[in-house]
Amino acid sequence: GAVVSQHPSWVICKSGTSVKIECRSLDFQATTMFWYRQFPKQSLMLMATSNEGSKATYEQGVEKDKFLINHASLTLSTLTVTSAHPEDSSFYICSALRAGTSTDTQYFGPGTRLTVL
Amino acid sequence: SQKIEQNSEALNIQEGKTATLTCNYTNYSPAYLQWYRQDPGRGPVFLLLIRENEKEKRKERLKVTFDTTLKQSLFHITASQPADSATYLCALGGMDSSYKLIFGSGTRLLVRP
């Protein structure tokens, strides 16, 4: 159990376009999901915390108008990179907290590789 | 400043030996610490969680220690296998009321057959 999927697994887009990435918890409900970004050979950097039914909380330095997050249901959160530019090229990873348990474990998706040309 | 440090150099060991990875942190007070495995191009996979009031945790060939005085965690893989080759990340959590994790940059482990 505790499977998290992401779609797409990779995407290539032109500069200036918007890209939507989906994060789904397949076999559990998640009231909280997180979005991370990882550059090559670097650590995962938390971008924002996504809470079902409320606005996302963004980390310092992350532009909320550029990285739109929608947590529409207990199993789905989406990240939209608006007006993407080459510097937004990165590996985007989501994670989910299983609702209704006392565990602090985050379950991670497989990641989405974004390349902006 | 706040830092989480893991050896940036790869750890290269012979199959069957014990691998020991280190995670040091400064200016954080985590309630718990987690270790994850990450393979290239994949998301992290949870391995173990250890809380601040626990000294040691084991799971099969894995062992984690947590010393809040030294601000250090050690991660051991006994009887290592080539399949254990991956990057191992430590992450600090429970520093506020959220479930946010702060990750180290990871240590790459290579197990030679």
Side-chain angles (χ1 to χ4, degrees):
Chain A
V3 178
V4 176
S5 71
Q6 281 184 240
H7 178 80
S9 55
W10 60 270
V11 57
I12 301 173
C13 69
K14 291 183 179 179
S15 186
T17 61
S18 294
V19 175
K20 180 185 283 189
I21 302 170
E22 292 185 348
C23 176
R24 293 182 185 271
S25 55
L26 297 184
D27 53 358
F28 66 99
Q29 292 183 330
T31 52
T32 302
M33 291 183 172
F34 300 91
W35 286 97
Y36 296 83
R37 182 165 52 181
Q38 186 177 34
F39 292 105
K41 298 188 190 282
Q42 293 188 25
S43 182
L44 278 75
M45 297 301 297
L46 179 64
M47 298 175 67
T49 303
S50 169
N51 294 297
E52 188 268 336
S54 63
K55 290 183 179 180
T57 304
Y58 291 81
E59 295 299 301
Q60 192 173 11
V62 178
E63 299 175 57
K64 62 180 181 181
D65 295 329
K66 180 167 183 65
F67 299 100
L68 301 179
I69 291 172
N70 185 3
H71 196 149
S73 75
L74 286 172
T75 59
L76 173 64
S77 175
T78 59
L79 168 69
T80 301
V81 183
T82 62
S83 187
H85 291 285
E87 58 266 29
D88 298 323
S89 299
S90 188
F91 193 50
Y92 291 86
I93 309 173
C94 72
S95 71
L97 280 178
R98 193 199 295 255
T101 69
S102 61
T103 180
D104 305 318
T105 303
Q106 293 184 23
Y107 297 95
F108 283 81
T112 297
R113 173 76 57 193
L114 170 63
T115 302
V116 185
L117 302 176
Chain B
S1 63
Q2 295 175 314
K3 285 192 299 186
I4 305 174
E5 291 182 318
Q6 294 185 255
N7 280 355
S8 57
E9 292 182 16
L11 178 62
N12 199 322
I13 65 169
Q14 185 73 42
E15 180 177 11
K17 301 292 186 184
T18 296
T20 298
L21 286 70
T22 305
C23 176
N24 294 295
Y25 59 92
T26 54
N27 294 323
Y28 283 113
S29 297
Y32 54 87
L33 187 148
Q34 302 185 13
W35 283 88
Y36 288 82
R37 169 184 172 142
Q38 187 176 25
D39 291 286
R42 306 292 296 171
V45 174
F46 171 75
L47 296 175
L48 280 169
L49 179 154
I50 186 165
R51 299 190 184 278
E52 60 180 340
N53 60 347
E54 298 174 313
K55 295 290 186 187
E56 182 180 296
K57 217 52 168 312
R58 290 175 186 261
K59 179 182 175 184
E60 297 173 354
R61 294 185 296 112
L62 308 181
K63 185 178 85 171
V64 173
T65 63
F66 192 11
D67 188 326
T68 55
T69 301
L70 290 178
K71 296 187 182 297
Q72 179 183 77
S73 175
L74 299 178
F75 176 76
H76 307 271
I77 305 176
T78 58
S80 60
Q81 305 166 359
D84 295 326
S85 298
T87 295
Y88 291 85
L89 306 168
C90 71
L92 309 182
M95 291 166 289
D96 55 24
S97 58
S98 76
Y99 289 99
K100 288 195 275 191
L101 291 176
I102 307 297
F103 280 85
S105 55
T107 297
R108 189 168 169 225
L109 172 66
L110 297 171
V111 181
R112 303 188 309 274

